[in-house]
Amino acid sequence: QVQLVESGGGLVQPGGSLRLSCAVSGSIFSGNTMAWYRQAPGKQRELVARITNGGNTNYADSVKGRFTISRDNAKNTVYLQMNNLKPEDTAVYYCNAVLGWSTARHSWGQGTQVTVSS
C-alpha cells in the first residue's frame, strides 16, 4: 500500500523557517522523482519543488532562493527546508511521486499545514 506521511508544519512568523518531512513507502520512492506541492485556500494545488532520484532539483519561481528540497534515499524520506517564509506561503503541503514534470502519481496523504502569520 502506498503511504505518504507529511509532517513538520506549523505556525511561523514572516521571515521564519520550517522543515517539512515526508516519509514514503519504499515501493514508490525508489528510483522516482519526488515533489512537494501545496494548496492554499480557494486555490488549486501547485508544484513547489521536485527532485529526481539523482538529486537534480527544480523550483517554482515563487520559492526559488528560499526553499530547498532534498531526499534521503536510505530513509525513503523527502524534505523541504523553507526559509524566509511569507504569508503567501500559507497552505497545506503535500508530497508525492511525480509522473512527467508535475503530475502526481498517487493518492494524496493528509498533508501538513503551514501558516505564516504575525
Side-chain angles (χ1 to χ4, degrees):
Q1 183 177 356
V2 171
Q3 284 195 318
L4 299 158
V5 181
E6 302 91 348
S7 62
L11 173 64
V12 63
Q13 292 186 343
S17 298
L18 284 173
R19 189 193 194 206
L20 307 183
S21 299
C22 178
V24 185
S25 55
S27 61
I28 67 168
F29 186 90
S30 181
N32 284 318
T33 296
M34 299 296 300
W36 284 95
Y37 301 78
R38 68 186 180 188
Q39 187 167 21
K43 294 187 177 181
Q44 288 190 329
R45 192 157 8 211
E46 63 175 352
L47 180 76
V48 174
R50 62 197 296 277
I51 183 167
T52 67
N53 186 54
N56 293 320
T57 59
N58 303 96
Y59 298 92
D61 287 344
S62 59
V63 306
K64 279 181 183 177
R66 301 188 298 122
F67 290 11
T68 302
I69 188 172
S70 61
R71 63 191 292 162
D72 185 332
N73 290 342
K75 296 182 178 179
N76 290 350
T77 302
V78 185
Y79 303 99
L80 186 68
Q81 177 67 44
M82 305 186 296
N83 297 329
N84 190 21
L85 282 160
K86 303 176 180 181
E88 52 263 42
D89 295 318
T90 296
V92 180
Y93 284 71
Y94 304 86
C95 70
N96 212 317
V98 179
L99 180 65
W101 183 255
S102 63
T103 302
R105 293 184 70 127
H106 302 287
S107 298
W108 299 101
Q110 85 287 351
T112 186
Q113 175 70 49
V114 172
T115 303
V116 185
S117 175
S118 55

